[in-house]
């Protein structure tokens, strides 16, 4: 499945403008043959927007979800996007996967919040593995800091995730995560990982770009630079099956030895 990575911070604070950016990217991605478009973390609203996080948060089935679904259906491409989700009296840092016909496939709430900003504005999620079937692949969702915990990615591997989609807001000076950690996570767990970052300065943060799609051989199939960019790479189930056969990490595990980890 050709996957498009939208490296952009959009227009922080303007949902209307960000939906326009998403629509344009969906048009370009679909024209290039992509079956999935992935945005960064909190793409619909912006990340460093302070109290506007709560003001702009919507339910998973709210007006913004409807707008993204319409975009997906009109262009015939699935979309995974980051947004603030309101659920009752709480707000979650969330990512939702919409099918190419506009159906809601999966919604994930970030389980590991990073820094004071996120802990002040969000409630952490409690479901570690969220998946959906898409174009012959099992697609899983994590968000940014979540992927830096090996337990999270291994849980997805054990649950059969083929393509792990990770909207992110990776900031300076932690660019080694995109450069080094993501390919290693893909290799040690035998999966594809699409890690899609914001870019440029936003409030107190400087986002480093470097969005990547890494394969199960630990090689980046695509890597963006440090500017706004739409990049493409393929997640190939045939190549994935061959890699899993050749690399026995999951088969050679000895869970009985790992009890002390929890």
């Amino acid at each position: 499945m050709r996957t498009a990575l939208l490296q952009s911070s959009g227009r922080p604070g303007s949902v209307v403008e960000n939906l326009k950016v998403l629509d344009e990217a969906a048009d370009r991605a679909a024209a290039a043959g992509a079956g999935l478009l992935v945005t960064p973390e909190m793409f619909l609203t912006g990340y460093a927007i302070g109290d506007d996080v709560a003001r702009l948060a919507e339910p998973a089935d709210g007006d913004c979800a409807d707008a993204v679904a319409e975009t997906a259906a009109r262009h015939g491409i699935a979309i995974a996007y980051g947004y603030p989700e309101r659920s009752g009296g709480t707000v979650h840092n969330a990512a939702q996967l919409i099918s190419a016909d506009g159906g809601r496939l999966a919604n994930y709430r970030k389980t590991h919040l990073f820094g004071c900003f996120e802990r002040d504005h969000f409630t952490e999620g409690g479901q570690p593995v969220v998946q959906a079937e898409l174009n012959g692949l099992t697609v899983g969702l994590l968000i940014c800091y979540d992927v830096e915990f090996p337990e999270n990615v291994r849980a997805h591997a054990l649950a059969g995730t083929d393509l792990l989609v990770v909207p992110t807001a990776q900031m300076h000076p932690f660019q080694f995560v995109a450069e080094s950690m993501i390919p290693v996570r893909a290799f040690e767990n035998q999966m594809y990982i699409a890690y899609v970052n914001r870019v440029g300065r936003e409030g107190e943060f400087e986002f480093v770009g470097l969005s990547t799609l890494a394969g199960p051989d630990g090689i980046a199939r695509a890597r963006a630079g440090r500017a706004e960019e739409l990049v493409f790479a393929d997640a190939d189930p045939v190549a994935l099956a061959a890699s899993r056969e050749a690399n026995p990490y999951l088969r050679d595990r000895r869970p009985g030895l790992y009890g002390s980890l929890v």
Side-chain angles (χ1 to χ4, degrees), residues 67-141:
V68 175
E70 191 276 332
T71 295
R74 180 157 38 83
H75 295 291
I77 186 171
I79 298 175
Y81 67 98
Y83 75 108
E85 179 197 355
R86 179 170 297 286
S87 177
T90 61
V91 175
H92 299 278
N93 185 333
Q96 184 151 221
L97 176 62
I98 303 291
S99 72
D101 62 5
R104 293 175 56 238
L105 294 179
N107 189 73
Y108 171 76
R109 296 166 174 174
K110 190 173 187 177
T111 55
H112 294 73
L113 301 180
F114 178 79
C116 295
F117 175 80
E118 290 194 6
R119 288 191 288 268
D120 286 345
H121 290 91
F122 300 108
T123 297
E124 61 192 12
Q127 186 173 356
V129 176
V130 172
Q131 299 168 311
E133 298 303 311
L134 181 67
N135 297 345
L137 294 170
T138 299
V139 176
L141 295 168

Side-chain angles (χ1 to χ4, degrees), residues 142-155:
L142 290 177
I143 299 174
C144 198
Y145 194 40
D146 290 329
V147 80
E148 298 177 35
F149 292 81
E151 299 89 346
N152 278 348
V153 187
R154 182 50 54 87

Side-chain angles (χ1 to χ4, degrees), residues 215-227:
D217 54 3
I219 295 174
R221 299 295 197 277
R223 188 184 295 283
R226 299 200 178 214

Side-chain angles (χ1 to χ4, degrees), residues 35-51:
L36 173 64
L37 170 65
V38 184
T39 82
E41 181 177 3
M42 292 283 288
F43 179 75
L44 284 192
T45 60
Y47 180 88
I49 57 174
D51 291 340

